[in-house]
Amino acid sequence: MTTVPAGRQVELEIGGMTCASCAARIEKKLNRMDGVTASVNYATEKARVSFEDGAVAVDDLIATVEATGYSAVLPAPPAGSEPEGAEGPGGAGGAAPDELTTLRQRLLTAVVSAVPVIAMAMVPALQFDNWQWLSLTLTAPVVGYAAWPFHKAAWTNLRHGAATMDTLISVGTLAAFGWSLWALFFGTAGMTGMKHPFEFTVSRGDGSGNIYLEAAAGVTAFILAGRYFEARSKRKAGAALKALLQLGAKDVVVLRDGREVRVPTGELAVGDLFVVRPGEKIATDGVVREGGSAVDASLLTGESVPVEVVPGDGVSGATVNAGGRIVVQATRVGADTQLARMARLVEDAQNGKAAVQRLADRISAVFVPVVIALAVATLGFWLGAGEGASAAFTAAVAVLIIACPCALGLATPTALMVGTGRGAQLGILIKGPEVLESTRTVDTIVLDKTGTVTTGVMTLTEVHVAGGEDEKTVLRLAGALEHASEHPIAQAVATAAEERAGGPLPAPEDFANVPGLGVRGFVEGHAVLVGREKLLDGSGQFLPAELAAAKAAAEAKGRTAVAVGWDGAARGVLVVADAVKPTSAEAVTRLRALGLTPILLTGDNEAVARAVAEEVGISGDDVIAEVMPEDKLAVIKRLQAEGRSVAMVGDGVNDAAALAQADLGLAMGTGTDAAIEASDLTLVRGDLRVAADAIRLARRTLGTIKANLFWAFGYNVAALPLAAAGLLNPMIAGAAMAFSSVFVVGNSLRLRGFKA
């Protein structure tokens, strides 16, 4: 027996759930146990259970889940360096590989068998002698093997007095198959030469010559197809955690006995000294012991400007050394690093994000009991009316068969297929139907700054020159010197200088890096200095009033000002910033038009954030700056606690947990894999305007699904009185089913006309 001390948490992997109502049922049962608080997530197939007081046996928790009709196991210990919960059977990764394989086998069985069965039933020319027995042979494995998950789920639901889409599918297919068996073996349907003619006459009969095998096979195939593609999508739910881990360095150069030795990152221990060269990722959290550099930490912190580090400064794993060679002493390794903590934040957010109960399941919960009650009432009525057992059972079973959701099985998959296909053409990737449900109520959209509203790349935005100086000359000499530096700000200056010069820049001589201040060297015979104002002051090159004012104005907006001087005088100030994307202001306007309140959220400093917000049209009251990744997550939770339905747009590792927590997560396709995997929608082009298009498309697709469900159920409801009256013949039933299916497909195809 396994016990967990009071105040602790345990995570269980849950198997057998088929819808969000299953998760709610398990959660309710667990929460009834003394001292237990549980949260069950259908999307990740996990239960997180807290113990308030006393020692609790995990075996009792597992027994409770199993008594509810599902399976539960403790997650397997993480292998290697993967974070707990990154993958596992039925865990955050959704359907385990073997489960997905089984589902694919069931789907193939259903499709291969159903196609000829439907063809023979609907095309009289294919109805050769004894065709009905071939149909039975082909349908039997579909109903028995392929549809087994529906029957199992229906039985579980029945034991708990619940009904879902699975119940409707199981009851309908079994009724169709069972009646067909009776008609074939005990009625007249098994006779040689039996046909399903095109007769639209409405008449009462005993049904002994009617078979409905195509309904049983077709519905199973349609709905299994939808379940398979959904399971494939759901399987990626835990990929955000793997993506986070893959951001770290795979190996590292460690100093041992004065020698450099390259070892796998997993072998690093606290206290080890390791070398990080320019352009390399820092292997783990630590403190700089030798050298100085600029570290690009934008993925973790959102800070657009690289951070200068010197001996004694702390650095984080997975950040990039953008400057010189440094030696770092490891202070945290493995699960203690900031990267691993962020992975846990993402997992916690995914576990806490409730899956929306499907619209079809909510309708089925009412529809199924009504249909069964109507079937029983029909049976009783005709028996009481003295019509005979055969006619009474024919009418009762016809009620169950006509309720079998052929069009219902197409309602969601077809709209989702067309909607996601159109989205892909427009650069929008939608992960699944539950994503669409989330777009209905979204009223607030939180925008990350770096890489989302802005380009995420340092760019030269302004050039100020002293009186009598030529702008091109200042830029050419500064760019030539900066070209030799690896610092991101230097590269921004060099790139702009090269573009404006229209050709190669002159080569510098005697280039030297001045740690923390800038660079110096000779260009075309001039002794050039480029860097902080302090660097020029040390050489007696003080900024004149107009340049000092330009520098102060740039820094007030949170931008970086680079001073340029040569031959004893300050000549210019270059302003470098993370430039706002040209489409961001228009995107904010479009988002407001959709009824959303935009909020700018960033790890960058307040001045930068407010300047960017002003440029794109976001109110100063809706700016939240200088936040760490866990703070971004807290902001999303706070907004949700205020009753808002929150969408989040981001692109960096520091956004992953917030994207997972948000009611609707949108990731820029130009961002990191961790952000993309943690999100619900991906904007391939990295254009914020596409976020507005994505929400519009998702809402339109959801509207189409609702319309499809309405017509699918409408067909069932309209045909039920006919079935209850015993007036339903197989041709009318087949034609009605075909018409409803064609209508649903046609309605879904209208989404192809969606325009950005």
Side-chain angles (χ1 to χ4, degrees):
M1 181 173 288
T2 312
T3 61
V4 177
R8 294 286 299 278
Q9 283 190 341
V10 68
E11 198 171 71
L12 300 175
E13 291 178 350
I14 308 295
M17 294 191 294
T18 59
C19 62
S21 60
C22 296
R25 194 174 304 131
I26 298 168
E27 189 173 293
K28 188 176 179 181
K29 289 283 187 182
L30 287 172
N31 283 324
R32 282 180 179 171
M33 298 177 72
D34 291 337
V36 171
T37 303
S39 172
V40 182
N41 187 280
Y42 168 60
T44 60
E45 295 182 349
K46 285 188 177 183
R48 178 155 294 182
V49 189
S50 301
F51 307 93
E52 295 177 354
D53 44 43
V56 181
V58 174
D59 292 353
D60 293 337
L61 296 173
I62 292 174
T64 299
V65 175
E66 289 176 344
T68 313
Y70 306 89
S71 65
V73 294
L74 286 167
S81 60
E82 288 190 359
E84 188 175 345
E87 245 187 335
D98 57 334
E99 292 174 351
L100 202 62
T101 301
T102 302
L103 187 55
R104 182 167 58 245
Q105 290 169 349
R106 293 186 196 278
L107 172 61
L108 288 173
T109 300
V111 171
V112 169
S113 300
V115 169
V117 170
I118 293 170
M120 285 187 289
M122 302 303 291
V123 182
L126 299 178
Q127 294 169 5
F128 52 86
D129 286 349
N130 297 316
W131 67 274
Q132 66 271 39
W133 295 103
L134 176 59
S135 288
L136 176 64
T137 305
L138 291 171
T139 304
V142 177
V143 174
Y145 169 69
W148 174 247
F150 305 131
H151 305 321
K152 184 179 177 183
W155 173 245
T156 300
N157 290 326
L158 178 63
R159 287 168 55 197
H160 299 283
T164 65
M165 181 77 170
D166 291 318
T167 311
L168 189 56
I169 298 162
S170 179
V171 169
T173 53
L174 287 177
F177 187 72
W179 184 260
S180 300
L181 280 178
W182 184 89
L184 285 167
F185 285 98
F186 302 105
T188 60
M191 296 176 62
T192 301
M194 191 276 278
K195 299 280 186 182
H196 267 181
F198 277 101
E199 291 180 359
F200 291 94
T201 55
V202 176
S203 60
R204 185 174 298 131
D206 65 1
S208 62
N210 301 337
I211 60 173
Y212 298 91
L213 295 171
E214 76 283 359
V219 167
T220 302
F222 281 135
I223 295 178
L224 273 177
R227 292 284 172 91
Y228 173 71
F229 291 114
E230 180 184 340
R232 281 184 59 187
S233 172
K234 190 173 143 195
R235 187 175 170 185
K236 297 179 180 178
L241 306 181
K242 286 188 72 179
L244 274 172
L245 255 289
Q246 289 167 356
L247 287 170
K250 302 299 181 290
D251 49 34
V252 58
V253 175
V254 181
L255 291 177
R256 289 186 177 157
D257 301 323
R259 293 171 53 246
E260 294 186 1
V261 181
R262 188 170 289 277
V263 300
T265 305
E267 294 182 15
L268 262 183
V270 172
D272 280 350
L273 293 171
F274 60 93
V275 177
V276 190
R277 293 184 172 82
E280 291 183 342
K281 289 180 180 177
I282 296 172
T284 193
D285 297 358
V287 176
V288 178
R289 293 303 181 205
E290 295 177 23
S293 182
V295 173
D296 181 359
S298 58
L299 286 180
L300 291 181
T301 66
E303 184 81 33
S304 53
V305 180
V307 180
E308 301 285 347
V309 294
V310 294
D313 289 342
V315 291
S316 298
T319 56
V320 178
N321 177 16
R325 175 185 183 274
I326 54 175
V327 176
V328 179
Q329 184 172 29
T331 56
R332 287 194 294 261
V333 296
D336 295 328
T337 63
Q338 186 175 356
L339 187 65
R341 290 201 302 273
M342 288 179 65
R344 287 196 294 274
L345 284 176
V346 173
E347 184 178 19
D348 290 345
Q350 287 182 332
N351 282 335
K353 187 175 180 180
V356 179
Q357 187 178 7
R358 295 293 164 76
L359 192 57
D361 281 330
R362 295 202 299 272
I363 298 171
S364 298
V366 177
F367 187 72
V368 173
V370 169
V371 167
I372 293 174
L374 183 59
V376 172
T378 301
L379 176 65
F381 175 81
W382 288 116
L383 285 174
E387 286 290 329
S390 180
F393 274 99
T394 297
V397 173
V399 169
L400 295 177
I401 291 170
I402 202 64
C404 194
C406 191
L408 200 60
L410 290 169
T412 297
T414 54
L416 190 62
M417 182 175 67
V418 179
T420 53
R422 180 60 182 143
Q425 291 175 341
L426 300 173
I428 304 161
L429 304 182
I430 303 173
K431 284 193 176 173
E434 65 279 359
V435 172
L436 305 175
E437 300 253 359
S438 302
T439 63
R440 290 181 302 165
T441 55
V442 167
D443 53 31
T444 301
I445 186 159
V446 176
L447 307 175
D448 168 55
K449 181 188 73 69
T450 307
T452 302
V453 176
T454 65
T455 61
V457 178
M458 301 304 289
T459 308
L460 182 70
T461 58
E462 300 172 38
V463 178
H464 301 276
V465 297
E469 297 294 339
D470 177 57
E471 182 178 308
K472 285 187 177 180
T473 303
V474 170
L475 195 54
R476 190 178 83 257
L477 295 182
L481 196 58
E482 294 281 52
H483 198 273
S485 172
E486 292 165 331
H487 196 290
I489 292 176
Q491 288 300 305
V493 172
T495 300
E498 206 161 25
E499 287 174 355
R500 298 189 192 185
L505 298 171
E509 299 174 5
D510 296 333
F511 172 85
N513 182 47
V514 183
L517 292 177
V519 292
R520 63 169 73 240
F522 286 87
V523 181
E524 295 181 339
H526 301 288
V528 183
L529 298 174
V530 183
R532 297 181 185 272
E533 183 180 2
K534 195 174 179 181
L535 177 66
L536 273 68
D537 289 348
S539 300
Q541 301 179 23
F542 301 102
L543 294 180
E546 68 270 22
L547 292 184
K551 175 179 175 292
E555 291 176 344
K557 294 179 180 178
R559 297 176 178 176
T560 301
V562 179
V564 182
W566 65 81
D567 297 344
R571 312 283 180 164
V573 167
L574 310 178
V575 179
V576 176
D578 179 10
V580 172
K581 292 178 181 177
T583 58
S584 292
E586 183 185 347
V588 169
T589 302
R590 290 188 187 183
L591 291 169
R592 285 191 192 280
L594 290 172
L596 306 177
T597 301
I599 294 176
L600 189 68
L601 180 66
T602 179
D604 221 331
N605 68 66
E606 186 85 20
V608 172
R610 289 191 174 277
V612 169
E614 183 181 355
E615 191 169 340
V616 298
I618 295 177
S619 163
D621 295 334
D622 292 326
V623 174
I624 305 171
E626 300 178 17
V627 291
M628 295 300 289
E630 56 270 25
D631 297 326
K632 286 191 173 185
L633 180 64
V635 167
I636 300 297
K637 287 182 176 178
R638 175 172 60 78
L639 292 170
Q640 289 171 331
E642 292 173 1
R644 302 200 202 190
S645 183
V646 183
M648 164 83 184
V649 189
D651 75 321
V653 176
N654 60 318
D655 302 317
L659 286 168
Q661 175 66 37
D663 299 290
L664 181 67
L666 299 95
M668 309 300 274
T670 51
T672 62
D673 289 344
I676 291 168
E677 295 294 354
S679 68
D680 303 307
L681 292 166
T682 301
L683 314 178
V684 176
R685 297 205 306 270
D687 184 342
L688 190 56
R689 290 179 301 182
V690 182
D693 292 332
I695 291 173
R696 282 178 51 240
L697 175 61
R699 287 178 177 176
R700 180 83 62 84
T701 306
L702 178 63
T704 301
I705 290 174
K706 285 182 175 180
N708 287 349
L709 289 172
F710 173 81
W711 285 107
F713 274 108
Y715 144 74
N716 290 129
V717 171
L720 281 174
L722 198 65
L727 300 174
L728 200 66
N729 70 47
M731 206 61 243
I732 291 177
M737 281 188 178
F739 173 76
S740 64
S741 298
V742 168
F743 180 88
V744 162
V745 172
N747 190 44
S748 297
L749 289 173
R750 291 170 59 236
L751 284 168
R752 292 191 301 181
F754 177 87
K755 289 186 171 34

